Amino acid sequence: MSEVPISDRLRRIFSTAWFPALVLLAFVPIVWRHFLGLKATFSYIWTFAPFVLGAVVLMFVVRWRRAEASDCVARPWLIGFTFGLACLLVAVAEVYKILWFAHVGWIFVLGAGALSLSAKRQVPGFLGLWMLLLLLLRLPPQVDLLIVNFQHHASTQVASRILDFLGYFHVVKESVLELPGAELPLDGICNGQYALMAMVTASAMVCVWRQRKAFHTLLVMLSGLLWGGVLNVLSVVVTTVAYMRFEANLTEGIAGSITAVLIFVVCALGVYSTDALFSVLTQKVPNVPTVRMWRRRHVTNPLPVFWNWLTSFSIPGHWFFKTRDDSEVGRARRARRSMIFRVGFAFVLVGLVALQMVVAFYARKVGAHTRMASEEELMRFPQEVVSFERPGWEVLAYKRNERPMGSVWGRWSDVWTLKYNRRTIVMAVDYAFSNWHDVNRCYGNIGWLLTENKVISELSSTGDWKASQSRMVVPSGENAYILCSHCDQSGIPVEPRPDATNLMAVIYRLEPRRMVMPFGPELSKDERTFYQTQMMVRSRDQLSPEEELEIQAMYDQFRMQVRARLQARRGS
């Protein structure tokens, strides 16, 4: 029996169907942890993921069966770049524990696999199918918050105007709709995140299903944002009318679920109709040359030319694909390059799995010594340990709040209610957190809309303890001025996280000291346990500059007392 050359053995091994499966399986554990994290936070992504994945798989299978044999192949640099970028993202996700990066990497791996399959059949609308997976990505927290709160604020205002026109007395206060004899939570009537995601997903699926052009798809998806607002408006109006006319509470029970489904169907039909409308509005315009009599020549109108280019724009296929060379030399070159790529991918996957094993090993080995401080080790802040002695300030109340484990507001809060210049001001110590806690997202979840967020260093005379300053509003017109800062259990200040819409937020998150073991520094329990001091003042009018300076000075004095108590604990 003749011996099979090693090159042929490798080619057979890496050309089998299980190699792409191994590539995907290497990414599954960390991506699954990401989805479990989304489920734990009740994210809308977790709710819509099965529908998006199911639609992508279904459309791909149907088109694959109908597709003709391909005479093109994906350019090697594109497959290598896509796969390499995916592995890099997963490596960063492991080292920094940013599971969102792993999710992006998994999507790029699927793209690399689809590019490889394109050498067998020419699937129409391949790019659109792949881009549907981007709907599974969660936007950065504050960007997500800005979009959803803006839409929620606008739709609530429109619904309120409609109810005024219909003659139904109501009051919108923060996240509550007050009716005669009842208070209905707006979150139970219209969930901004779910409504927004539902309509944008529906619009994207319609466009991919019907293989629309890029400009047409963009218009329909923008209209999806509008239909998301319409869904919220209809939900508020129908729920209010049902309660006022028939005393039926549609925020709960089977009747509420049926109503929500019916309203969704109506808005989904609206999206489908909008797609049909844009298919007419985005048709090509005939370019009829105009005649300028004084120059006696024909002139081409640039507007129809630009419009026709815009409505028919698509990414040129030759950027990513090339015609297959079926000559003997071409087949040999393609086979050699394919084997080199697959062997290289195999080595990269081995390295990636090894990295995951190293991180898991160190997490298990040193995890017991570097967790956050236990409940018995946490510092408490009773009323007598903090004083407010500046002129004009009065302490109205003090209380300690205890919440369930894992609450986004923190397990415990020591809260002081103060009075200054006829204004009610709340100052609190919230603990414990394992990283910077975004109070803007917490307040955004109860109806506040963020209008300004920046990091300031003017509070501390030495400038070594910066704070986050935010301004927020609610649909009722009330304003909020918020200051927030963190320190660890040793009293060492924590650098505030920049606004998520800022590039500095990425740099902040990728600092070397935020790496996990063994790549980053080994942190003690005290260094992993954060205490948050915050101040919030609510008012109908804007604070004067003098009031802001006085409030900032009182807040700085408050947080310095908290820090001194933590430092005294370290010294003892």
Side-chain angles (χ1 to χ4, degrees), residues 16-92:
T16 52
W18 58 262
F19 182 75
L22 285 180
V23 173
L24 289 177
L25 286 176
F27 288 77
V28 165
I30 190 170
V31 174
W32 182 246
R33 295 205 304 269
H34 173 68
F35 273 103
L36 289 180
L38 293 177
K39 181 183 179 182
T41 57
F42 302 100
S43 172
Y44 55 92
I45 299 294
W46 173 263
T47 304
F48 287 96
F51 299 99
V52 175
L53 290 174
V56 170
V57 171
L58 179 62
M59 284 190 279
F60 181 80
V61 170
V62 171
R63 294 182 185 182
W64 177 265
R65 290 180 174 180
R66 299 176 180 176
E68 299 177 353
S70 177
D71 59 350
C72 298
V73 293
R75 295 189 179 275
W77 68 264
L78 180 61
I79 298 178
F81 172 78
T82 307
F83 184 79
L85 179 61
C87 292
L88 176 63
L89 288 171
V90 173
V92 173

Side-chain angles (χ1 to χ4, degrees), residues 499-560:
D499 184 2
T501 59
N502 194 325
L503 179 62
M504 294 303 296
V506 179
I507 300 176
Y508 172 89
R509 188 64 182 86
L510 297 181
E511 289 181 355
R513 63 189 180 90
R514 304 189 191 283
M515 292 182 178
V516 299
M517 291 289 292
F519 307 99
E522 183 176 355
L523 302 177
S524 64
K525 290 183 178 180
D526 287 347
E527 292 173 308
R528 290 183 179 272
T529 305
F530 291 176
Y531 291 75
Q532 170 186 276
T533 57
Q534 65 161 309
M535 182 284 307
M536 182 181 190
V537 53
R538 300 166 56 165
S539 60
R540 285 284 176 181
D541 57 334
Q542 295 291 341
L543 298 175
S544 66
E546 294 77 14
E547 287 178 320
E548 281 194 15
L549 289 176
E550 177 61 26
I551 291 173
Q552 289 177 1
M554 187 73 262
Y555 170 70
D556 186 47
Q557 184 183 101
F558 165 67
R559 67 174 185 165
M560 284 299 181

